[in-house]
Protein backbone atom coordinates (compact mmCIF):
# COMPACT_ATOMS: atom_id res chain seq x y z
CA UNK A 1 0.00 0.00 0.00
CA UNK A 2 2.89 2.35 0.73
CA UNK A 3 4.33 1.95 -2.77
CA UNK A 4 0.89 2.24 -4.36
CA UNK A 5 0.22 5.44 -2.41
CA UNK A 6 3.38 7.03 -3.79
CA UNK A 7 2.69 5.89 -7.37
CA UNK A 8 -0.90 7.20 -7.26
CA UNK A 9 0.18 10.57 -5.89
CA UNK A 10 2.91 10.91 -8.54
CA UNK A 11 0.47 9.96 -11.31
CA UNK A 12 -2.05 12.55 -10.13
CA UNK A 13 0.69 15.17 -9.80
CA UNK A 14 1.58 14.62 -13.46
CA UNK A 15 -2.08 14.47 -14.56
CA UNK A 16 -3.12 17.76 -12.96
CA UNK A 17 0.15 19.57 -13.79
CA UNK A 18 -0.46 18.73 -17.46
CA UNK A 19 -3.85 20.41 -17.16
CA UNK A 20 -2.35 23.58 -15.81
CA UNK A 21 -2.99 23.28 -12.07
CA UNK A 22 -0.26 25.12 -10.16
CA UNK A 23 2.35 23.01 -8.42
CA UNK A 24 2.15 25.36 -5.43
CA UNK A 25 -1.21 23.75 -4.64
CA UNK A 26 -0.60 20.33 -6.17
CA UNK A 27 2.59 19.49 -4.26
CA UNK A 28 1.18 19.77 -0.72
CA UNK A 29 -2.12 18.15 -1.76
CA UNK A 30 -0.43 15.18 -3.41
CA UNK A 31 1.97 14.85 -0.48
CA UNK A 32 -1.05 14.75 1.85
CA UNK A 33 -2.69 12.12 -0.35
CA UNK A 34 0.43 9.96 -0.22
CA UNK A 35 0.45 10.17 3.58
CA UNK A 36 -3.27 9.32 3.87
CA UNK A 37 -3.12 6.41 1.41
CA UNK A 38 -0.07 5.06 3.24
CA UNK A 39 -2.24 4.66 6.34
CA UNK A 40 -0.53 7.44 8.31
CA UNK A 41 -3.37 9.98 8.35
CA UNK A 42 -2.89 10.63 12.06
CA UNK A 43 0.56 12.05 11.22
CA UNK A 44 -0.65 14.27 8.37
CA UNK A 45 -0.11 17.60 10.14
CA UNK A 46 3.31 16.65 11.56
CA UNK A 47 4.35 15.57 8.05
CA UNK A 48 3.28 18.98 6.76
CA UNK A 49 4.89 21.14 9.44
CA UNK A 50 7.85 18.88 10.20
CA UNK A 51 8.81 17.58 6.75
CA UNK A 52 7.15 19.44 3.87
CA UNK A 53 7.70 22.99 5.10
CA UNK A 54 11.31 22.57 6.33
CA UNK A 55 12.28 21.01 2.98
CA UNK A 56 10.55 23.81 1.05
CA UNK A 57 12.15 26.48 3.22
CA UNK A 58 15.58 24.85 3.02
CA UNK A 59 15.50 24.77 -0.76
CA UNK A 60 14.35 28.40 -0.96
CA UNK A 61 17.08 29.42 1.50
CA UNK A 62 19.81 27.74 -0.56
CA UNK A 63 18.75 28.79 -4.05
CA UNK A 64 16.83 32.06 -3.63
CA UNK A 65 19.82 34.24 -4.67
CA UNK A 66 20.34 32.22 -7.87
CA UNK A 67 16.68 32.42 -8.88
CA UNK A 68 16.45 36.12 -7.97
CA UNK A 69 19.62 37.26 -9.70
CA UNK A 70 18.94 35.06 -12.73
CA UNK A 71 15.45 36.52 -13.18
CA UNK A 72 16.74 40.06 -12.67
CA UNK A 73 19.57 39.55 -15.17
CA UNK A 74 17.17 38.20 -17.78
CA UNK A 75 14.86 41.19 -17.37
CA UNK A 76 17.79 43.64 -17.57
CA UNK A 77 19.00 41.98 -20.79
CA UNK A 78 15.49 42.17 -22.25
CA UNK A 79 14.65 45.75 -21.30
CA UNK A 80 18.07 47.18 -22.17
CA UNK A 81 17.82 45.87 -25.73
CA UNK A 82 20.88 43.61 -25.22
CA UNK A 83 18.96 40.42 -26.02
CA UNK A 84 17.53 41.92 -29.22
CA UNK A 85 20.92 43.38 -30.22
CA UNK A 86 22.71 40.03 -29.89
CA UNK A 87 19.98 38.20 -31.80
CA UNK A 88 20.11 40.60 -34.75
CA UNK A 89 23.94 40.58 -34.65
CA UNK A 90 24.00 36.80 -35.06
CA UNK A 91 21.61 37.14 -38.00
CA UNK A 92 24.07 39.53 -39.68
CA UNK A 93 27.09 37.31 -38.95
CA UNK A 94 25.62 33.94 -39.93
CA UNK A 95 23.25 35.13 -42.65
CA UNK A 96 19.52 34.88 -43.22
CA UNK A 97 19.86 31.77 -45.39
CA UNK A 98 20.78 29.67 -42.37
CA UNK A 99 17.59 30.38 -40.46
CA UNK A 100 17.70 27.33 -38.16
CA UNK A 101 21.39 27.78 -37.28
CA UNK A 102 20.85 31.48 -36.52
CA UNK A 103 17.98 30.80 -34.13
CA UNK A 104 19.80 27.98 -32.32
CA UNK A 105 22.99 30.04 -31.92
CA UNK A 106 21.11 33.13 -30.73
CA UNK A 107 19.25 31.12 -28.09
CA UNK A 108 22.43 29.30 -27.05
CA UNK A 109 24.44 32.49 -26.62
CA UNK A 110 21.76 34.14 -24.49
CA UNK A 111 20.98 31.15 -22.27
CA UNK A 112 24.64 30.24 -21.72
CA UNK A 113 25.15 33.85 -20.70
CA UNK A 114 22.51 33.53 -17.99
CA UNK A 115 19.34 34.87 -19.64
CA UNK A 116 16.14 33.04 -18.66
CA UNK A 117 14.96 30.62 -21.33
CA UNK A 118 11.50 32.24 -21.28
CA UNK A 119 12.96 35.70 -21.92
CA UNK A 120 15.05 34.17 -24.71
CA UNK A 121 11.99 32.58 -26.32
CA UNK A 122 10.11 35.89 -26.32
CA UNK A 123 13.15 37.81 -27.60
CA UNK A 124 14.15 35.42 -30.37
CA UNK A 125 10.72 34.37 -31.65
CA UNK A 126 9.92 37.55 -33.66
CA UNK A 127 13.33 37.38 -35.32
CA UNK A 128 12.91 33.65 -35.99
CA UNK A 129 9.49 34.23 -37.54
CA UNK A 130 10.85 36.78 -40.02
CA UNK A 131 13.88 34.62 -40.82
CA UNK A 132 11.84 31.49 -41.43
CA UNK A 133 9.32 33.35 -43.57
CA UNK A 134 12.09 34.89 -45.72
CA UNK A 135 13.88 31.55 -46.12
CA UNK A 136 10.58 29.71 -46.70
CA UNK A 137 11.25 27.32 -43.82
CA UNK A 138 8.10 25.93 -42.13
CA UNK A 139 7.05 27.90 -39.08
CA UNK A 140 6.31 24.61 -37.27
CA UNK A 141 10.10 24.15 -36.88
CA UNK A 142 10.58 27.38 -34.89
CA UNK A 143 9.71 25.88 -31.47
CA UNK A 144 12.16 23.01 -31.96
CA UNK A 145 14.90 25.44 -33.02
CA UNK A 146 14.34 27.62 -29.94
CA UNK A 147 14.16 24.53 -27.71
CA UNK A 148 17.44 23.14 -29.08
CA UNK A 149 19.27 26.38 -28.33
CA UNK A 150 17.63 27.01 -24.95
CA UNK A 151 16.53 23.73 -23.32
CA UNK A 152 19.41 21.36 -24.07
CA UNK A 153 23.20 21.78 -24.19
CA UNK A 154 23.36 25.26 -22.64
CA UNK A 155 21.14 24.13 -19.77
CA UNK A 156 22.76 20.79 -18.91
CA UNK A 157 26.13 20.27 -20.56
CA UNK A 158 28.31 23.33 -21.18
CA UNK A 159 30.73 23.86 -18.28
CA UNK A 160 29.91 26.87 -16.12
CA UNK A 161 26.36 27.33 -17.40
CA UNK A 162 24.47 29.46 -14.85
CA UNK A 163 21.22 27.54 -15.39
CA UNK A 164 19.58 26.72 -12.05
CA UNK A 165 19.61 23.04 -13.06
CA UNK A 166 23.43 23.10 -13.07
CA UNK A 167 23.51 24.75 -9.64
CA UNK A 168 21.25 22.27 -7.83
CA UNK A 169 23.75 19.36 -7.41
CA UNK A 170 26.39 21.69 -5.89
CA UNK A 171 24.71 21.56 -2.48
CA UNK A 172 24.50 17.77 -2.50
CA UNK A 173 27.84 16.80 -4.04
CA UNK A 174 30.13 19.69 -3.05
CA UNK A 175 30.97 20.41 -6.70
CA UNK A 176 30.79 23.55 -8.83
CA UNK A 177 29.08 24.61 -12.05
CA UNK A 178 32.14 23.59 -14.14
CA UNK A 179 31.93 19.93 -13.04
CA UNK A 180 33.36 17.45 -15.60
CA UNK A 181 33.98 20.11 -18.27
CA UNK A 182 35.40 17.79 -20.92
CA UNK A 183 32.49 15.37 -20.72
CA UNK A 184 30.11 18.33 -20.71
CA UNK A 185 31.58 19.69 -23.93
CA UNK A 186 31.33 16.26 -25.60
CA UNK A 187 27.68 16.00 -24.53
CA UNK A 188 27.01 19.54 -25.78
CA UNK A 189 28.47 18.75 -29.21
CA UNK A 190 26.33 15.61 -29.52
CA UNK A 191 23.18 17.55 -28.65
CA UNK A 192 23.94 20.58 -30.79
CA UNK A 193 25.21 18.78 -33.89
CA UNK A 194 22.62 16.02 -33.66
CA UNK A 195 19.81 18.52 -33.18
CA UNK A 196 20.99 20.72 -36.06
CA UNK A 197 21.27 17.68 -38.33
CA UNK A 198 17.72 16.67 -37.44
CA UNK A 199 16.26 20.12 -38.05
CA UNK A 200 18.17 20.65 -41.28
CA UNK A 201 16.95 17.28 -42.55
CA UNK A 202 13.37 18.37 -41.77
CA UNK A 203 14.01 21.60 -43.69
CA UNK A 204 15.23 19.61 -46.71
CA UNK A 205 12.15 17.38 -46.63
CA UNK A 206 9.88 20.41 -46.43
CA UNK A 207 11.64 22.13 -49.33
CA UNK A 208 11.38 19.03 -51.48
CA UNK A 209 7.66 19.01 -50.73
CA UNK A 210 7.43 22.77 -51.49
CA UNK A 211 5.80 23.28 -48.07
CA UNK A 212 7.06 26.83 -47.53
CA UNK A 213 6.48 28.85 -44.36
CA UNK A 214 2.82 27.94 -44.16
CA UNK A 215 -0.32 30.01 -43.71
CA UNK A 216 -0.35 31.71 -40.31
CA UNK A 217 -1.96 34.80 -38.87
CA UNK A 218 0.32 37.72 -38.11
CA UNK A 219 1.43 37.35 -34.50
CA UNK A 220 3.85 40.17 -33.78
CA UNK A 221 2.24 40.99 -30.45
CA UNK A 222 4.31 38.46 -28.47
CA UNK A 223 7.28 40.84 -28.45
CA UNK A 224 5.22 43.72 -27.10
CA UNK A 225 3.36 41.56 -24.57
CA UNK A 226 6.55 40.45 -22.89
CA UNK A 227 8.10 43.93 -23.10
CA UNK A 228 11.25 42.91 -24.98
CA UNK A 229 13.00 46.12 -26.02
CA UNK A 230 14.08 46.51 -29.64
CA UNK A 231 16.60 49.22 -28.72
CA UNK A 232 19.91 48.78 -30.53
CA UNK A 233 23.16 49.09 -28.56
CA UNK A 234 26.84 48.39 -29.31
CA UNK A 235 27.37 44.66 -29.63
CA UNK A 236 30.25 44.69 -27.15
CA UNK A 237 27.98 46.19 -24.50
CA UNK A 238 25.37 43.49 -25.12
CA UNK A 239 27.99 40.73 -25.07
CA UNK A 240 30.03 41.88 -22.05
CA UNK A 241 27.47 40.91 -19.34
CA UNK A 242 27.20 37.40 -20.76
CA UNK A 243 30.98 37.00 -20.75
CA UNK A 244 31.11 38.27 -17.19
CA UNK A 245 28.65 35.64 -15.98
CA UNK A 246 30.89 32.81 -17.21
CA UNK A 247 34.26 34.54 -16.66
CA UNK A 248 33.69 35.80 -13.11
CA UNK A 249 32.17 32.44 -12.16
CA UNK A 250 35.29 30.66 -13.40
CA UNK A 251 37.61 33.19 -11.72
CA UNK A 252 36.09 32.71 -8.27
CA UNK A 253 35.64 28.96 -8.71
CA UNK A 254 39.22 28.19 -9.74
CA UNK A 255 41.35 31.09 -8.46
CA UNK A 256 39.84 33.31 -5.78
CA UNK A 257 38.16 30.86 -3.38
CA UNK A 258 40.76 28.05 -3.75
CA UNK A 259 43.46 30.61 -2.94
CA UNK A 260 41.75 31.80 0.25
CA UNK A 261 41.95 30.37 3.73
CA UNK A 262 38.27 30.05 4.63
CA UNK A 263 38.86 28.87 8.21
CA UNK A 264 37.69 32.24 9.57
CA UNK A 265 34.26 31.57 8.07
CA UNK A 266 33.82 28.25 9.84
CA UNK A 267 34.91 29.88 13.10
CA UNK A 268 32.10 32.41 12.80
CA UNK A 269 29.64 29.85 11.36
CA UNK A 270 30.50 26.40 12.80
CA UNK A 271 27.81 24.61 10.76
CA UNK A 272 29.02 26.10 7.45
CA UNK A 273 30.31 23.60 4.89
CA UNK A 274 32.49 25.66 2.57
CA UNK A 275 32.99 22.72 0.20
CA UNK A 276 29.30 22.75 -0.71
CA UNK A 277 29.01 26.55 -0.66
CA UNK A 278 31.81 28.03 -2.77
CA UNK A 279 30.25 26.81 -6.04
CA UNK A 280 27.03 28.67 -5.25
CA UNK A 281 28.92 31.72 -3.99
CA UNK A 282 30.87 31.95 -7.26
CA UNK A 283 27.67 31.86 -9.31
CA UNK A 284 25.97 34.45 -7.08
CA UNK A 285 28.93 36.84 -7.42
CA UNK A 286 29.06 36.35 -11.21
CA UNK A 287 25.35 37.15 -11.68
CA UNK A 288 25.57 40.14 -9.33
CA UNK A 289 28.58 41.56 -11.21
CA UNK A 290 26.86 41.06 -14.59
CA UNK A 291 23.65 42.77 -13.39
CA UNK A 292 25.58 45.72 -11.93
CA UNK A 293 27.71 46.11 -15.04
CA UNK A 294 24.68 46.16 -17.34
CA UNK A 295 22.87 48.73 -15.19
CA UNK A 296 25.90 51.04 -15.03
CA UNK A 297 26.75 50.72 -18.74
CA UNK A 298 23.23 51.71 -19.77
CA UNK A 299 22.71 54.57 -17.30
CA UNK A 300 20.80 57.28 -19.09
CA UNK A 301 19.32 54.79 -21.58
CA UNK A 302 16.81 52.95 -19.37
CA UNK A 303 13.18 53.81 -20.11
CA UNK A 304 12.16 52.88 -16.53
CA UNK A 305 14.93 51.19 -14.54
CA UNK A 306 12.83 50.91 -11.38
CA UNK A 307 10.09 49.07 -13.26
CA UNK A 308 12.65 46.78 -14.90
CA UNK A 309 14.23 45.87 -11.57
CA UNK A 310 10.85 45.32 -9.94
CA UNK A 311 9.62 43.06 -12.75
CA UNK A 312 12.86 41.08 -12.67
CA UNK A 313 12.73 40.59 -8.90
CA UNK A 314 9.03 39.70 -8.86
CA UNK A 315 9.63 37.24 -11.71
CA UNK A 316 11.78 34.88 -9.64
CA UNK A 317 9.15 34.03 -7.04
CA UNK A 318 6.90 31.64 -8.94
CA UNK A 319 9.72 29.47 -10.44
CA UNK A 320 11.47 29.29 -7.06
CA UNK A 321 8.44 28.31 -5.03
CA UNK A 322 7.15 25.91 -7.70
CA UNK A 323 10.41 23.98 -7.46
CA UNK A 324 10.63 24.34 -3.67
CA UNK A 325 7.10 22.91 -3.35
CA UNK A 326 8.15 19.91 -5.43
CA UNK A 327 11.13 19.46 -3.11
CA UNK A 328 8.75 19.51 -0.15
CA UNK A 329 6.63 16.86 -1.84
CA UNK A 330 9.73 14.75 -2.46
CA UNK A 331 10.79 15.05 1.18
CA UNK A 332 7.40 13.79 2.37
CA UNK A 333 7.41 10.89 -0.07
CA UNK A 334 10.98 9.99 0.91
CA UNK A 335 9.99 9.80 4.57
CA UNK A 336 7.17 7.31 3.99
CA UNK A 337 7.75 3.63 4.74
CA UNK A 338 6.83 2.58 1.19
CA UNK A 339 9.62 4.69 -0.27
CA UNK A 340 12.23 2.32 1.17
CA UNK A 341 11.14 -0.33 -1.35
CA UNK A 342 11.27 2.13 -4.25
CA UNK A 343 14.62 3.46 -3.07
CA UNK A 344 16.16 -0.01 -2.84
CA UNK A 345 14.82 -0.94 -6.26
CA UNK A 346 16.29 2.20 -7.86
CA UNK A 347 19.64 1.96 -6.08
CA UNK A 348 19.98 -1.71 -7.01
CA UNK A 349 19.44 -1.16 -10.75
CA UNK A 350 23.21 -1.07 -11.10
CA UNK A 351 24.80 -1.36 -7.64
CA UNK A 352 28.35 -1.35 -9.02
CA UNK A 353 27.77 1.73 -11.21
CA UNK A 354 25.57 4.34 -9.50
CA UNK A 355 25.71 6.53 -12.62
CA UNK A 356 23.18 4.25 -14.33
CA UNK A 357 20.83 4.20 -11.36
CA UNK A 358 21.17 7.98 -10.99
CA UNK A 359 20.40 8.57 -14.66
CA UNK A 360 17.23 6.46 -14.48
CA UNK A 361 15.99 8.13 -11.29
CA UNK A 362 16.56 11.68 -12.60
CA UNK A 363 14.92 10.92 -15.94
CA UNK A 364 11.83 9.34 -14.40
CA UNK A 365 11.21 12.09 -11.87
CA UNK A 366 11.89 14.89 -14.37
CA UNK A 367 9.47 13.23 -16.77
CA UNK A 368 6.78 12.78 -14.13
CA UNK A 369 6.97 16.34 -12.84
CA UNK A 370 7.47 17.87 -16.29
CA UNK A 371 10.32 19.88 -14.79
CA UNK A 372 14.04 19.24 -14.99
CA UNK A 373 14.81 21.30 -11.88
CA UNK A 374 11.81 19.89 -10.00
CA UNK A 375 12.64 16.27 -10.82
CA UNK A 376 16.34 16.76 -10.05
CA UNK A 377 15.56 18.44 -6.74
CA UNK A 378 13.17 15.70 -5.65
CA UNK A 379 15.62 12.96 -6.62
CA UNK A 380 18.64 14.54 -4.93
CA UNK A 381 16.70 15.41 -1.79
CA UNK A 382 15.70 11.76 -1.47
CA UNK A 383 18.73 9.97 -2.92
CA UNK A 384 21.61 12.46 -3.20
CA UNK A 385 23.45 11.26 -0.09
CA UNK A 386 23.07 7.62 -1.16
CA UNK A 387 24.49 8.29 -4.62
CA UNK A 388 27.41 10.23 -3.18
CA UNK A 389 28.19 7.35 -0.80
CA UNK A 390 27.90 4.77 -3.60
CA UNK A 391 30.12 6.89 -5.84
CA UNK A 392 32.80 7.16 -3.14
CA UNK A 393 32.75 3.37 -2.70
CA UNK A 394 33.00 2.83 -6.47
CA UNK A 395 35.75 5.42 -6.87
CA UNK A 396 33.55 7.70 -8.98
CA UNK A 397 34.21 11.44 -8.86
CA UNK A 398 31.45 13.70 -7.47
CA UNK A 399 32.01 15.91 -10.54
CA UNK A 400 30.98 13.03 -12.81
CA UNK A 401 28.00 12.35 -10.56
CA UNK A 402 27.02 16.02 -10.90
CA UNK A 403 27.23 16.10 -14.69
CA UNK A 404 25.31 12.85 -15.17
CA UNK A 405 22.56 14.03 -12.81
CA UNK A 406 22.10 17.30 -14.71
CA UNK A 407 22.20 15.64 -18.14
CA UNK A 408 19.66 13.02 -17.02
CA UNK A 409 17.29 15.64 -15.61
CA UNK A 410 17.36 17.33 -19.01
CA UNK A 411 16.31 14.15 -20.84
CA UNK A 412 12.67 13.24 -20.28
CA UNK A 413 11.68 16.60 -18.79
CA UNK A 414 10.15 17.82 -22.07
CA UNK A 415 7.25 15.38 -22.27
CA UNK A 416 4.02 17.00 -23.57
CA UNK A 417 2.89 18.17 -20.12
CA UNK A 418 6.12 20.16 -19.50
CA UNK A 419 5.26 23.75 -18.62
CA UNK A 420 8.18 25.15 -20.62
CA UNK A 421 6.99 23.35 -23.77
CA UNK A 422 3.41 24.56 -23.29
CA UNK A 423 4.67 28.13 -22.85
CA UNK A 424 6.96 27.92 -25.88
CA UNK A 425 4.14 26.70 -28.12
CA UNK A 426 1.91 29.49 -26.80
CA UNK A 427 4.56 32.08 -27.66
CA UNK A 428 4.88 30.68 -31.19
CA UNK A 429 1.08 30.28 -31.53
CA UNK A 430 1.44 26.66 -32.58
CA UNK A 431 0.04 23.38 -31.25
CA UNK A 432 1.55 20.15 -29.98
CA UNK A 433 0.28 18.43 -33.11
CA UNK A 434 2.12 20.87 -35.38
CA UNK A 435 5.47 21.05 -33.59
CA UNK A 436 5.91 18.59 -30.72
CA UNK A 437 7.44 15.69 -32.69
CA UNK A 438 10.44 17.81 -33.67
CA UNK A 439 10.72 19.31 -30.19
CA UNK A 440 10.84 15.78 -28.74
CA UNK A 441 13.56 14.76 -31.19
CA UNK A 442 15.94 17.59 -30.31
CA UNK A 443 15.20 17.73 -26.56
CA UNK A 444 15.03 14.00 -25.78
CA UNK A 445 16.59 11.83 -28.51
CA UNK A 446 19.98 13.55 -28.69
CA UNK A 447 20.23 14.50 -24.98
CA UNK A 448 19.59 10.85 -24.10
CA UNK A 449 22.27 9.81 -26.60
CA UNK A 450 24.68 12.30 -25.02
CA UNK A 451 23.84 10.94 -21.56
CA UNK A 452 24.66 7.37 -22.60
CA UNK A 453 27.96 8.49 -24.13
CA UNK A 454 28.95 10.44 -21.00
CA UNK A 455 28.13 7.50 -18.70
CA UNK A 456 30.17 5.18 -20.93
CA UNK A 457 33.16 7.54 -21.14
CA UNK A 458 32.95 8.43 -17.45
CA UNK A 459 32.82 4.75 -16.46
CA UNK A 460 35.91 3.99 -18.57
CA UNK A 461 38.06 7.09 -18.05
CA UNK A 462 36.58 8.88 -15.03
CA UNK A 463 35.75 12.56 -14.86
CA UNK A 464 37.58 14.99 -17.14
Amino acid sequence: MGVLAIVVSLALLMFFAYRGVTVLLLAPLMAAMAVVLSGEMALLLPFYTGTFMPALAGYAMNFLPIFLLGALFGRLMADSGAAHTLSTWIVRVVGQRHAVVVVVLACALLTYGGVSLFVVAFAVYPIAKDLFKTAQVPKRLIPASIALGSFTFTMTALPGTPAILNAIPIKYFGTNSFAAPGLGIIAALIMMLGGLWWLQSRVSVARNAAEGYGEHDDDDEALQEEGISTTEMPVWQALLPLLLVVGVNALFTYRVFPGMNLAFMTEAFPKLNTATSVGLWSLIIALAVACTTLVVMRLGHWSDLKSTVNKGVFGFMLPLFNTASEVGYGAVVASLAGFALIKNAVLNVSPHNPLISEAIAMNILAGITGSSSGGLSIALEALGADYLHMAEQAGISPELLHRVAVLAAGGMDTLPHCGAIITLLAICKLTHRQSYANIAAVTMLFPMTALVVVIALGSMFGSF
Side-chain angles (χ1 to χ4, degrees):
M1 280 300 296
V3 174
L4 181 62
I6 294 170
V7 171
V8 169
S9 70
L10 279 171
L12 289 175
L13 178 68
M14 180 171 64
F15 177 83
F16 286 113
Y18 177 63
R19 279 150 182 80
V21 179
T22 174
V23 174
L24 289 173
L25 179 62
L26 275 180
L29 284 179
M30 293 304 105
M33 175 178 285
V35 171
V36 171
L37 293 179
S38 295
E40 301 187 53
M41 185 173 180
L43 298 175
L44 180 58
L45 290 177
F47 266 115
Y48 179 73
T49 57
T51 303
F52 183 90
M53 287 307 299
L56 183 153
Y59 184 89
M61 178 182 69
N62 282 305
F63 294 106
L64 186 148
I66 306 296
F67 276 90
L68 190 154
L69 290 170
L72 176 59
F73 181 61
R75 176 49 54 188
L76 290 170
M77 288 290 292
D79 287 5
S80 67
H84 178 75
T85 296
L86 289 172
S87 299
T88 54
W89 172 65
I90 291 175
V91 172
R92 292 195 298 269
V93 171
V94 179
Q96 293 187 350
R97 291 179 303 146
H98 307 288
V100 169
V101 176
V102 167
V103 171
V104 172
L105 290 180
C107 292
L109 176 63
L110 290 169
T111 50
Y112 187 49
V115 183
S116 160
L117 57 89
F118 295 109
V119 171
V120 170
F122 274 107
V124 172
Y125 167 66
I127 296 169
K129 182 172 67 65
D130 292 339
L131 278 174
F132 277 50
K133 186 179 291 186
T134 300
Q136 284 298 291
V137 175
K139 181 185 177 182
R140 60 183 174 81
L141 295 177
I142 291 179
S145 301
I146 293 176
L148 175 59
S150 303
F151 299 0
T152 60
F153 57 95
T154 58
M155 184 177 77
T156 65
L158 286 179
T161 175
I164 186 63
L165 186 67
N166 193 40
I168 291 171
I170 294 173
K171 169 179 174 284
Y172 300 93
F173 299 147
T175 49
N176 59 62
S177 58
F178 292 88
L183 290 170
I185 291 171
I186 291 171
L189 288 172
I190 292 171
M191 290 186 229
M192 183 180 69
L193 297 178
L196 284 173
W197 168 80
W198 176 274
L199 291 174
Q200 293 289 16
S201 69
R202 299 306 93 196
V203 171
S204 299
V205 170
R207 281 181 174 153
N208 291 336
E211 180 179 343
Y213 179 76
E215 295 296 327
H216 302 278
D217 295 331
D218 251 341
D219 44 13
D220 295 325
E221 63 271 16
L223 189 67
Q224 286 73 33
E225 285 175 3
E226 178 61 12
I228 304 296
S229 173
T230 56
T231 301
E232 288 289 334
M233 59 192 293
V235 173
W236 71 267
Q237 285 190 6
L239 194 57
L240 179 60
L242 305 185
L243 297 176
L244 285 174
V245 170
V246 179
V248 172
N249 186 8
L251 177 65
F252 277 84
T253 296
Y254 291 113
R255 301 290 294 180
V256 177
F257 284 128
M260 292 176 62
N261 183 354
L262 302 178
F264 71 96
M265 293 186 179
T266 54
E267 291 174 4
F269 297 91
K271 294 183 180 180
L272 177 66
N273 185 346
T274 55
T276 60
S277 299
V278 293
L280 290 175
W281 292 344
S282 299
L283 190 51
I284 289 168
I285 293 169
L287 287 169
V289 168
C291 288
T292 303
T293 301
L294 187 52
V295 169
V296 172
M297 278 197 310
R298 301 302 293 169
L299 282 177
H301 297 278
W302 296 100
S303 59
D304 188 349
L305 180 57
K306 182 179 73 173
S307 175
T308 292
V309 171
N310 286 343
K311 285 193 292 184
V313 171
F314 295 153
F316 91 94
M317 295 181 185
L318 186 59
L320 171 63
F321 284 100
N322 274 342
T323 308
S325 292
E326 291 174 332
V327 171
Y329 167 83
V332 171
V333 166
S335 63
L336 296 175
F339 184 75
L341 297 175
I342 297 175
K343 177 179 176 179
N344 289 334
V346 171
L347 294 178
N348 288 323
V349 167
S350 178
H352 302 296
N353 190 345
L355 298 176
I356 297 173
S357 168
E358 182 186 46
I360 293 172
M362 306 304 162
N363 262 299
I364 290 174
L365 282 168
I368 287 172
T369 59
S371 166
S372 54
S373 57
L376 180 63
S377 298
I378 291 173
L380 290 182
E381 188 69 26
L383 301 169
D386 295 287
Y387 283 129
L388 185 58
H389 178 67
M390 291 172 66
E392 289 172 349
Q393 288 186 321
I396 293 173
S397 164
E399 284 73 23
L400 179 55
L401 209 61
H402 174 130
R403 187 56 53 208
V404 168
V406 175
L407 287 169
M412 299 296 291
D413 62 315
T414 50
L415 289 171
H417 64 287
C418 170
I421 297 302
I422 293 170
T423 301
L424 176 60
L425 290 172
I427 292 170
C428 298
K429 300 189 183 301
L430 292 166
T431 65
H432 279 77
R433 183 171 184 174
Q434 291 171 303
S435 298
Y436 182 72
N438 290 300
I439 293 174
V442 300
T443 61
M444 287 194 282
L445 175 61
F446 298 105
M448 293 293 284
T449 303
L451 173 62
V452 171
V453 170
V454 167
I455 291 175
L457 291 175
S459 299
M460 289 188 289
F461 305 110
S463 177
F464 60 88

